[in-house]
Every structure is written in structure tokens, then in C-alpha cells.
Amino acid sequence: MTISNCTQQKAIAPEFWERRQFLTAAAASFASALAPAHLWAQEEEAPTFSFDMLTERMKDLAGHPYAAPEPVHGFLADLDYDAYQRIRFRPEQARWQEKGVTFRLHAFHPGWLFKEPVKINEVVGTSVHPMAFTTADFEYDDEELAQSIPPDAEMPGVAGFRLHAPLNRADIFDELIVFQGASYFRALGKGNSYGLSARGLAVNTGLPEGEEFPRFSEVWLHRPQPGEETVTVFAALDSPSVTGAYQFDITPGATTTVDVTARLFLRKDIKQLGIAPLTSMFLFNGADAGPFDDYRPAVHDSEALVLNTQAGETYFRHLNNPPRLASSYFGALSPRSFGLVQRNRDFEHYLDAQAHYERRPSLMIEPLGDWGKGAVRLVEIPSDLEVNDNIVAFWIPDQDTNAGDALEYTYRMHWGMSPQGAAPERLANVTRMRTGEGGVAGVQTDTGTRKFVIDFAGGLLDHLPENAQLEAVTSASNGEIVEAVLSPVNGRNEWRLVLEVRAEPDAIVELKAGISGYERTLSETWMYQWINA
């Protein structure tokens, strides 16, 4: 069970297509690749648009049976990985190139894995105007393929879109945010390269009955005016179990923020509804390289899940590439924030001159309003390839989610190198973790234990003498902490906690540790799930 990162994973080409047959058929079949009707297709004139109007339409749609989207056909349906990768949007065709407009819009070509076209609309004032894209908007690097395609044929929709803005330099329009595939999207802060993704909604993720993937079926973009620093995107979400109306207010910056309003209408009972889901990749790091014989010391888009509670506690849960499907739950009452973070920004930590994992963004979710009681669920999926997204995290409300329910959630997403909430300032942070065979290093022993070494730095620890009387606060669920030793690291403003842990074979052990002293908490709480496989 692996969630694919569609922008990287290679697909198998259809074997029944010979190349010349494919190219010959392309021109003849393109005209038959008709667009599915969008939500206002039945109107004689384009109506005015508002988020409330979209909400009412999605509420009404939830009262009707789900209608699966009509996929593209003709040559669009038969594009393989290689052909699709040679199709590019022409930058000179970008929408919104008027002077003073801060954003540019590019589209993604339909086909390959993206066989369900998405309708794109522009909202000017309150009026809706469909945005048409044609083959003239795209560059076909394969000459034979390019010659076989009508020169200005209208697309039945697109696979998604991306927005560009002057993120790193005032004179360059950098990629800012991408929406492509189901309800997936990902954004960048200043200095970032693409890493983890977000989704509009998660339905029954990691459950035995199988996951459902709602999709954004139609999108409305509010045309930005010169000088505006925020762009607004509206989206219709649809699936067999739920419909939804979404609003995204996107503001680029050193930390890019996306304010999200999600209004959901349930067609069916849903066993597990995942709010603000995040998807990332973790293969290995210095804590435990596992079976990977790799020159790189770490390969991951995110290294930890962070949860900040209303009580001022911060939980830092190191990620893992487990031997089997694993899951952890972190209960909270309307948390201040949670997310997946990439704290280590040193090239030497990764040594990857192409992927540059040190540039991958952290993403923190800040609930707006009272989310009530619930839990953050972390799902970790075994993976042997770095092109697979194998980490999922989302909020599960502590309430039944039944057919006919109407729910609304608002939250702010922080994408960047060090977004708000990714690391507490007043508490010491976990700087590294290592694991290994228990016992005394360099001595052959058979203690039956596993050693965990956690280093803390920052906060008040930077100002305490080495003889300070501090206490390690530790716990182990389904295992035993045989020994816990806390001591300063000579010559560094760091304190090291060493745990020796024992557990039964195949036990799933939840570990927790932190530092306290002077009648106060001095560090964030380190957490880890150890499977004694």
C-alpha cells in the first residue's frame, strides 16, 4: 500500500499502441475528446458567483447520487509517461500578464494519469467566465506528435493549474502553488523547492475498507487586480461520500500562507473524516538507515510531525519508515497547530545535489476557530522508493460523521523554511536522534535492549550551567525503559538523553521523553514509535 507521487513515478505505456498508429489516430480522435458539463452549463447566461452560491450548489449536489466524471478519450487518454513529460505549457501563454498584476496562471495538459479534466473559470467582479485552453497553449517537444495535433484545438479541461509570483526576486515569477490530481496541492515559501503536499480532504485513509479520494472537479479563480498581494481560488469537491465548497486565499512570502475554508456535505456515513490532510515522503535518516545502502545520510521531504497544544506543550514526533503499516494518534482539544516539518537545513545532512532536501518546505496547520476535541492521526507506510509518498497526517474530529451532516472548518496553512509553530522558541528543541543496539558502545553485549539517543538544545538550556539539576521525564507504552541518562554535552549548548528500552518481539512501543527543571518544562516532548521487528 503506497501513495504515489504522480509527478515523479513512471507509468507503463499502453502496449497495444504502435507509435505511428498512435500519432495517426491522435488528430482524428482529438475532436471527440469532449468536455464534461460544468456546474453552470445548464444556465443560458453565466450567473454571478459567490462562495455562498457555490456552497448552496454543493449542498444541493450532495442530495443526489454521485456521478463519476467522464474521462478524456482519444489521444489524450493514451498519452504515456514519456509523451506526457514532453508536453509543456508555453510561458508566453500565461494568463494575467497585465502590468502590475502579481500573479501568473499556467495550466497542466490533460492525459496520462490525469484523465479526468478539471474545468477552470475566472471570476471578474462577480461574473463567471470559463477559461479556455487549447493546443496552442502547449509546447509538444516530440515533433511527430506535434504535427499530428490540430494547431488550435480546445481542450476538454485541464489536469490542473499552477500560479507564479515574484517569490524570491521582484523581477522573476517563480512557481508558488500547484493544484493537480484529485484534491492535491502544494505550495512554496521563499527559498523552497517542492516537497510535501496537502489535500482538500481525506476519507477513510489507512482503514481496511479502503480509501476514497475526493477530487476538485471545477475551479474558479478570482482575477487579481494590479497591486493585490493575495489571490483567491474557489473549488468544488466531489466524491461518492461527500461534496464540498472550498475557498483558498493565497499570499506569497518568506512563509506563504493559504487561508482555507472547507464547507462539507456528507452523502454517506463516513467512518473516518480527515481534515487538513498532509502527505509527505520519509525513506530514512541518520536515526536508522534500515536496509538502504546509500551514500546519502538522509532522504526525506519531512522529518517529524509537530503538534502544539492549547496548554503550550509542543510534541515532536520523529517520522519512521516502518516494517509494516503503522499508525499513531495524538489526542488534543482544538490544537494551536500541527504539521509536518523539515527542520534540518544543512546540505551536509542530505548530500543530495539534485533533490536538495534541505530546501523542502515545512507545513503547519493553524486551526481558525474552535475545532473541539479530536486527534491528529499519523499514518506511516513501508516504502523502498523515494518517489513514493508514504507519510500521511490529518485531524480527525471526535464526532460521528453521518449522511446529511454539514460541516465547516477554517484553517491557515504556513508553508516555508521555518513557519510559525514548526519549532518552539521558549523551549529546547530536539536537534537529532540516533538509535542502535543497546548496551555499552564498543563492547560486545547481549542486553536485549535498544538504545535511543536524543539531543536537545535551545530555550533556557542555552543559559544553564553544566551542573544544573535537570530531570528526564520519560515513558514507554508497551515497553520498558531500563535506563535513562541525561547529561550535558561538553563544549556545546546541548543536553543528551540516552534511553535503553526493552520490549517483546513484534511489540509496538510508543516512546516519550522531555526535560524539566526548576519546576517548569524546559523542552518540547520527543516522541517515537519503535516496532521491535
Side-chain angles (χ1 to χ4, degrees), residues 106-162:
H106 295 206
F108 289 105
H109 199 283
W112 184 46
L113 297 181
F114 310 103
K115 291 182 167 63
E116 298 171 344
V118 178
K119 276 291 184 181
I120 306 293
N121 305 282
E122 183 181 55
V123 180
V124 180
T126 60
S127 299
V128 178
H129 304 276
M131 299 185 77
F133 295 90
T134 73
T135 51
D137 290 315
F138 296 90
E139 182 75 34
Y140 299 88
D141 288 342
D142 186 298
E143 185 175 348
E144 288 185 89
L145 178 61
Q147 291 177 353
S148 70
I149 295 173
D152 196 18
E154 185 171 341
M155 293 288 175
V158 295
F161 67 94
R162 66 188 180 196

Side-chain angles (χ1 to χ4, degrees), residues 101-250:
V101 176
T102 308
F103 302 93
R104 301 282 187 271
L105 172 67
H106 295 206
F108 289 105
H109 199 283
W112 184 46
L113 297 181
F114 310 103
K115 291 182 167 63
E116 298 171 344
V118 178
K119 276 291 184 181
I120 306 293
N121 305 282
E122 183 181 55
V123 180
V124 180
T126 60
S127 299
V128 178
H129 304 276
M131 299 185 77
F133 295 90
T134 73
T135 51
D137 290 315
F138 296 90
E139 182 75 34
Y140 299 88
D141 288 342
D142 186 298
E143 185 175 348
E144 288 185 89
L145 178 61
Q147 291 177 353
S148 70
I149 295 173
D152 196 18
E154 185 171 341
M155 293 288 175
V158 295
F161 67 94
R162 66 188 180 196
L163 297 175
H164 294 228
L167 188 62
N168 297 292
R169 284 176 46 175
D171 59 336
I172 295 178
F173 281 78
D174 300 298
E175 288 192 41
L176 171 65
I177 190 168
V178 168
F179 288 79
Q180 187 181 27
S183 67
Y184 284 85
F185 61 99
R186 52 184 181 169
L188 301 171
K190 185 176 181 180
N192 285 141
S193 57
Y194 283 124
L196 81 168
S197 300
R199 282 192 273 170
L201 194 67
V203 176
N204 295 334
T205 303
L207 297 186
E209 50 265 59
E211 182 171 5
E212 179 177 300
F213 289 89
R215 64 184 293 267
F216 290 137
S217 57
E218 190 165 1
V219 173
W220 296 259
L221 299 104
H222 200 281
R223 183 184 183 90
Q225 297 302 306
E228 288 185 346
E229 297 182 355
T230 296
V231 63
T232 298
V233 176
F234 305 94
L237 180 131
D238 197 14
S239 81
S241 298
V242 62
T243 69
Y246 280 71
Q247 178 173 332
F248 303 90
D249 295 316
I250 304 159

Side-chain angles (χ1 to χ4, degrees), residues 183 197-202 274-279 363 392-395 411 413:
S183 67
S197 300
R199 282 192 273 170
L201 194 67
I275 307 300
L278 315 178
T279 300
L363 171 54
V392 188
F394 47 85
W395 173 260
Y411 52 95
M413 314 179 82

Side-chain angles (χ1 to χ4, degrees), residues 170-430:
D171 59 336
I172 295 178
F173 281 78
D174 300 298
E175 288 192 41
L176 171 65
I177 190 168
V178 168
F179 288 79
Q180 187 181 27
S183 67
Y184 284 85
F185 61 99
R186 52 184 181 169
L188 301 171
K190 185 176 181 180
N192 285 141
S193 57
Y194 283 124
L196 81 168
S197 300
R199 282 192 273 170
L201 194 67
V203 176
N204 295 334
T205 303
L207 297 186
E209 50 265 59
E211 182 171 5
E212 179 177 300
F213 289 89
R215 64 184 293 267
F216 290 137
S217 57
E218 190 165 1
V219 173
W220 296 259
L221 299 104
H222 200 281
R223 183 184 183 90
Q225 297 302 306
E228 288 185 346
E229 297 182 355
T230 296
V231 63
T232 298
V233 176
F234 305 94
L237 180 131
D238 197 14
S239 81
S241 298
V242 62
T243 69
Y246 280 71
Q247 178 173 332
F248 303 90
D249 295 316
I250 304 159
T251 306
T255 295
T256 291
T257 61
V258 182
D259 286 2
V260 183
T261 299
R263 296 173 177 173
L264 307 172
F265 305 97
L266 275 55
R267 279 191 170 109
K268 300 178 180 179
D269 296 349
I270 295 178
K271 187 172 183 179
Q272 179 189 266
L273 194 64
I275 307 300
L278 315 178
T279 300
S280 193
M281 181 276 292
F282 181 94
L283 199 65
F284 66 88
N285 68 5
D288 188 353
F292 299 101
D293 185 13
D294 198 304
Y295 75 92
R296 298 168 298 178
V299 174
H300 50 73
D301 285 335
S302 306
E303 63 182 293
L305 180 144
V306 170
L307 170 63
N308 297 297
T309 72
Q310 292 291 345
E313 302 164 309
T314 297
Y315 294 93
F316 181 86
R317 165 61 155 80
H318 262 114
L319 298 179
N320 195 8
N321 186 355
R324 56 180 182 269
L325 181 67
S327 188
S328 297
Y329 295 82
F330 309 93
L333 181 62
S334 192
R336 287 186 177 180
S337 61
F338 67 91
L340 296 175
V341 303
Q342 187 85 314
R343 280 192 186 167
N344 199 310
R345 297 302 180 184
D346 294 330
F347 172 78
E348 288 76 10
H349 184 75
Y350 308 96
L351 295 178
D352 194 316
Q354 283 73 46
H356 284 288
Y357 289 110
E358 73 277 6
R359 299 178 188 169
R360 304 299 168 102
S362 295
L363 171 54
M364 294 299 296
I365 304 296
E366 177 192 357
L368 302 176
D370 186 1
W371 279 21
K373 188 178 180 182
V376 175
R377 184 182 180 191
L378 174 66
V379 180
E380 296 166 303
I381 305 168
S383 177
D384 57 1
L385 295 172
E386 62 193 278
V387 295
N388 293 329
D389 283 349
N390 63 321
I391 303 295
V392 188
F394 47 85
W395 173 260
I396 304 173
D398 186 12
Q399 66 182 79
D400 293 334
T401 44
N402 299 320
D405 286 352
L407 307 170
E408 179 168 337
Y409 289 88
T410 58
Y411 52 95
R412 178 167 295 149
M413 314 179 82
H414 302 263
W415 302 76
M417 287 291 193
S418 185
Q420 174 183 317
E425 296 180 2
R426 65 179 186 84
L427 297 175
N429 291 187
V430 175

Side-chain angles (χ1 to χ4, degrees), residues 436 438-439 446-452 475-483 499-511 530-532:
D446 186 15
T447 63
T449 62
R450 187 74 178 168
K451 187 189 299 290
F452 296 85
S475 68
S477 174
N478 206 30
E480 176 190 4
I481 297 178
V482 178
E483 185 178 42
L499 304 178
E500 296 276 348
V501 184
R502 180 180 292 123
E504 296 294 326
D506 291 325
I508 300 175
V509 183
E510 296 286 355
L511 297 169
W530 170 44
I531 301 178
N532 188 21

